[in-house]
Amino acid sequence: MSARRVGILGLARSGRAAARLALARGERVFASDAADTPAVRGAAEEIRHAGGEAETGGHSIDRLAACDVLVLSPGIAPQAAVLQDARLRSVPRMSELEYAFRALAAPVIGVTGTNGKSTTTALAAHLLRAADYDALAAGNIGLALSEVALRPEPPDWVVVEASSFQLADIESFAPRVGVVTNLSPDHLDRYPSVKRYYADKANLFRNGVASSVWVLNGEDEAVRALPADAAGRRRYFRTEAPLRPGEEGGFVNPAGDLVLRESGREDVLIHVSELRLLGRHNWSNALAASVAAHAAGASHGAIASGLRTFDGLEHRLEVVSEVEGVLWINDSKATNLDATRIAVRSMTRPTVLLLGGRHKGESYALLADELRGRVHTVVAYGEAGALVERDLAGVVPVTRVEGDFAGVIDTAVRLARPGDALLLAPACASFDMFSDYEERGRVFKQLARARAEVAHG
């Protein structure tokens, strides 16, 4: 019997890892990416060297159609043009998440939602490590799940950040603990409706059993409704008020303590002032991670210790430096309106806000309530610059900048005053100027540090 033919779509981190996993399992690999950058060509060469086949700069549909299964990288949207070709409709497809899960020998905590996924994923893994578990953060956060599946010794737990695209094509993916941070419109440039976007998120619950634990934002009605009648126990987290009678999970009490409730018992973890994370929204992330880690076996003491020592993630409200009285804050991962809204609410200084990049479908006028009184100037840039300027006319002063990112920063610096914050929270994808939000954030930080060096002589 000949080896199964696996087609890999996309050659970024997840695609490369899936190809390596397939080859390690004795499967035949044909990897394909429409891009032809040096990084993609390097990945293709790596796959060829390992014994697979790979192409860049386009898709050979007939070769993909000859595969027994297609494995999709996270960046491949369900509506991607290549997937609409009639020749591929009969080929089974799955996300890299699903493919790796089938080869994984470790239990999973799955984290999805619109915002807060990465912080919650990283924090839950950190809390489990504080409890002496060998725990990894993987999935959409950076470490591909296929990389974990390749390890000779499985970890005790894997905390997996799962995007809607990754959940779109699953069959057996079944986390023991699942977390939904929140829900709001996103990816409307790729989804025909919010309903379809939420439907892919709901696949998290598809394979629930009675022992599954679902950790849900109790203050988000869309999240509460998402599991429908899926099997498993519900746990909730709330920051605005205590849990309702009969609910178990976590909440912030009137004194500002993070509290866990289980079987009628309430245990204080830490005060919110002890968190090292900026913004009230991170109270929710801390509670979600704490409830999930407790469900996985972490003690209250270990969770409290871990909460005190977690420094947050790069590109998520990351304080970069203070230059001539202006605080530079990198929130490049704020790629949708809701994430930008949360970032702006977290500001305690008058703010110059950088908005722009590749448009994702929603009107920037929806930011108006948050911008008034907090943001004194918006710097609009990139492909979405004209839309930002149009939508926010009359809301706050908007300065539109055409050209490269360095020029955008020059303008923002000129507009910022001592005592201000200069906040990169773009509400857009990065692909008009950068390979991803991480590159955008790194460039922002490099420019900040260059300014600091000049200022300090």
Side-chain angles (χ1 to χ4, degrees), residues 13 31 50 69 71 75 80 83 94 147 191 214 250 271 332 364 368 387 389 431 442 450:
R13 284 176 294 204
V69 64
V71 176
L83 298 178
M94 67 179 73
E147 291 281 1
Y191 279 99
W214 307 122
H271 192 270
S332 184
Y364 303 96
L387 288 174
E389 185 177 37
F431 306 124
R442 287 194 296 270

Side-chain angles (χ1 to χ4, degrees), residues 52-131:
E53 297 180 87
E55 66 175 351
T56 63
H59 300 297
S60 298
I61 301 298
D62 288 339
R63 297 200 64 187
L64 291 169
C67 292
D68 297 304
V69 64
L70 296 179
V71 176
L72 312 184
S73 297
I76 307 295
Q79 294 77 25
V82 62
L83 298 178
Q84 309 313 308
D85 193 291
R87 289 168 289 177
L88 299 185
R89 288 177 187 162
S90 63
V91 183
R93 64 185 62 163
M94 67 179 73
S95 65
E96 181 269 339
L97 184 77
E98 170 74 16
Y99 182 72
F101 181 80
R102 295 184 182 189
L104 191 67
V108 164
I109 297 174
V111 181
T112 195
T114 301
N115 296 304
K117 297 186 297 297
S118 296
T119 297
T120 301
T121 298
L123 179 51
H126 179 81
L127 298 180
L128 288 170
R129 289 193 293 271

Side-chain angles (χ1 to χ4, degrees), residues 228-370:
D229 58 356
R233 294 169 287 163
R234 274 61 167 167
R235 298 288 184 268
Y236 298 97
F237 57 94
R238 294 173 171 274
T239 62
E240 301 295 335
L243 293 171
R244 295 172 181 173
E247 288 184 341
E248 296 189 343
F251 65 97
V252 178
N253 69 15
D257 299 310
L258 301 179
V259 181
L260 292 187
R261 180 198 287 173
E262 185 173 1
S263 302
R265 173 179 169 176
E266 295 185 355
D267 292 276
V268 171
L269 297 174
I270 65 171
H271 192 270
V272 295
S273 63
E274 297 177 78
L275 291 171
R276 299 184 181 184
L277 304 172
L278 288 177
R280 188 184 182 96
H281 65 287
N282 275 315
W283 302 359
S284 288
N285 296 333
L287 285 171
S290 297
V291 175
H294 187 58
S299 68
H300 294 110
I303 293 170
S305 176
L307 289 171
R308 291 188 181 98
T309 56
F310 183 69
D311 287 322
L313 290 177
E314 188 178 20
H315 313 302
R316 290 303 280 147
L317 285 175
E318 178 189 10
V319 176
V320 179
S321 61
E322 185 156 353
V323 183
E324 297 183 327
V326 176
L327 189 66
W328 292 56
I329 300 175
N330 169 30
D331 200 32
S332 184
K333 202 171 189 300
T335 58
N336 58 58
L337 293 191
D338 204 47
T340 298
R341 192 176 287 118
I342 289 167
V344 171
R345 286 176 187 159
S346 302
M347 294 299 101
T348 58
R349 297 178 174 211
T351 299
V352 175
L353 173 64
L354 276 61
L355 279 181
R358 180 157 292 170
H359 185 57
K360 295 180 75 175
E362 287 193 282
S363 169
Y364 303 96
L366 296 172
L367 294 172
D369 288 346
E370 280 71 30

Side-chain angles (χ1 to χ4, degrees), residues 146 286 408 410:
S146 291
V408 174
D410 287 342

